[in-house]
Amino acid sequence: MTAFDDDDVRRLALALPGTEEGTSYGNVAFKVRGKLFTWERPLRKADRDALGDAAPEGEVIGVRVEHEIAKRALLSAEPERCFTTPHFDGSPIVLVRLDCTGPEELEELIVEAWLCRAPERLANAFLADREGR
């Protein structure tokens, strides 16, 4: 069973306008207008070696964040849920442990990742619609 067999991840990602499901390096991935924003990210041997005993055993997804400052803030604020590996050094990407992430947190992470990658007009329309509810 993969992270994206979880109906919540798929439902949340596909509920966002312009989102398509596909693959990235053989793993399930979600893109908005061709730009990757969240994906299944099993840990590789190099990741496990780098993380040592801190390597999580559960399902992991990758999410895009706005920039390196946002990445550092998220890693500092939520170390039990969010982490990184040397592979993502210098990239605005955070890895998320699904087994430590509740539905509200998961939705927030996926929506924020989508907002980072969606075209401005699409993101603004989404936010305006959301505020109108």
Side-chain angles (χ1 to χ4, degrees):
M1 183 171 186
T2 66
F4 288 98
D5 285 334
D6 182 324
D7 290 337
D8 288 337
V9 174
R10 180 172 274 114
R11 177 184 54 78
L12 289 167
L14 291 176
L16 298 166
T19 297
E20 298 174 351
E21 182 175 340
T23 60
S24 176
Y25 297 98
N27 297 305
V28 177
F30 296 96
K31 299 175 183 178
V32 57
R33 304 281 166 90
K35 293 182 178 180
L36 188 65
F37 68 93
T38 191
W39 60 97
E40 178 183 33
R41 182 47 168 83
L43 295 182
R44 299 174 176 129
K45 182 181 181 328
D47 299 327
R48 292 193 179 284
D49 290 347
L51 294 170
D53 291 340
E57 292 300 321
E59 303 293 345
V60 174
I61 61 172
V63 294
R64 188 71 182 233
V65 295
E66 190 173 2
H67 43 61
E68 281 289 315
I69 294 170
K71 175 180 179 174
R72 286 193 296 272
L74 195 54
L75 293 172
S76 175
E78 302 191 38
E80 70 287 345
R81 176 175 308 134
C82 299
F83 67 102
T84 190
T85 66
H87 178 79
F88 294 109
D89 286 351
S91 297
I93 293 167
V94 172
L95 299 175
V96 179
R97 296 178 54 185
L98 289 181
D99 61 354
C100 295
T101 306
E104 295 83 19
E105 294 88 3
L106 183 61
E107 180 177 17
E108 182 179 347
L109 288 164
I110 290 173
V111 169
E112 289 297 321
W114 180 87
L115 287 168
C116 290
R117 304 297 278 171
E120 185 176 357
R121 181 179 282 179
L122 186 62
N124 288 340
F126 170 78
L127 291 172
D129 181 58
R130 205 170 189 189
E131 288 175 9
R133 292 185 207 174

